[in-house]
Structure formats: C-alpha cells, structure tokens
Amino acid sequence: MSIQEAKLLAKQKYEHFKQSDIDKSLALCPAFTDFKITVEKQIAEGSQVASYWVMRGKHTGEYFGIPPSGRDVMLCGMAIDEVVNGKLAPVCSVMDFQEFLLRLAN
C-alpha cells in the first residue's frame, strides 16, 4: 500500500466515525451532540500514519458537573496507526482532554 493510500485509509477511519462510536469511546453521550471529526494534518512514513484530528460538537447536557452551555466545543487529538494487511491497527493516541474540560468550565 502506498503512503497516500495509507493516509486516505486513516482519514476515512476518523472522519467516518459514527456518533455511537464516539459516545462509547469518550462517554460523551448525552452531554454533547452533532459531533463531527475532521482530520486536519497527516504524516506517513513506512507503514505508520499519524493523524491530527479535531472533533467538534455542541455542549447540550451536563458533563463532569458542568451544566450545558449550548456552545460549540472542540476536542483535539493525535493518533498513530499502523497499516497491517491493508487495515489500520492502532499504535497510540492522545487527546487534549484537560484543555477540553477547561474550555467547558469557562
């Protein structure tokens, strides 16, 4: 698989994430709605692809004691995936969750 194909595969993985997948992985439901993930930057080398993604949505319910604000919110993260037999296998990922919570509280 070419580097461009690997980057496209990773981009599709994150941008086609379903709301139910987001809810399960981040325990955000029902505090946030209308989430959409956009892959902003990617770097690929060999069989690995690093993707910087931004998830945007609306704060519509209480979360960690923070009342709903109705504001648009954003959570940023980075994931590194490895292409194995034409499929992506996660290597590691990080999110700026502290900044996300600080923005909600203010």
Side-chain angles (χ1 to χ4, degrees):
M1 176 176 291
S2 73
I3 286 178
Q4 291 303 325
E5 290 170 321
K7 287 168 78 173
L8 180 60
L9 188 62
K11 183 177 172 107
Q12 290 172 340
K13 171 185 173 181
Y14 295 104
E15 291 188 349
H16 292 112
F17 220 50
K18 297 178 187 149
Q19 180 71 40
S20 60
D21 295 330
I22 294 167
D23 295 342
K24 283 186 262 182
S25 65
L26 299 176
L28 294 175
C29 186
F32 303 93
T33 56
D34 301 326
F35 268 109
K36 179 177 170 125
I37 298 175
T38 305
V39 174
E40 307 263 327
K41 300 275 184 193
Q42 287 184 303
I43 298 172
E45 183 176 301
S47 63
Q48 294 190 339
V49 179
S51 301
Y52 172 75
W53 52 263
V54 177
M55 185 174 2
R56 293 175 176 86
K58 189 169 286 292
H59 181 206
T60 56
E62 185 176 321
Y63 193 65
F64 282 101
I66 302 168
S69 65
R71 291 183 298 173
D72 292 331
V73 295
M74 169 172 84
L75 175 63
C76 302
M78 172 89 59
I80 299 175
D81 295 291
E82 180 136 15
V83 179
V84 179
N85 297 324
K87 295 185 180 184
L88 292 176
V91 174
C92 69
S93 63
V94 293
M95 293 179 277
D96 193 353
F97 201 68
Q98 181 177 4
E99 179 66 23
F100 177 71
L101 290 177
L102 288 172
R103 286 183 187 170
L104 282 182
N106 296 318

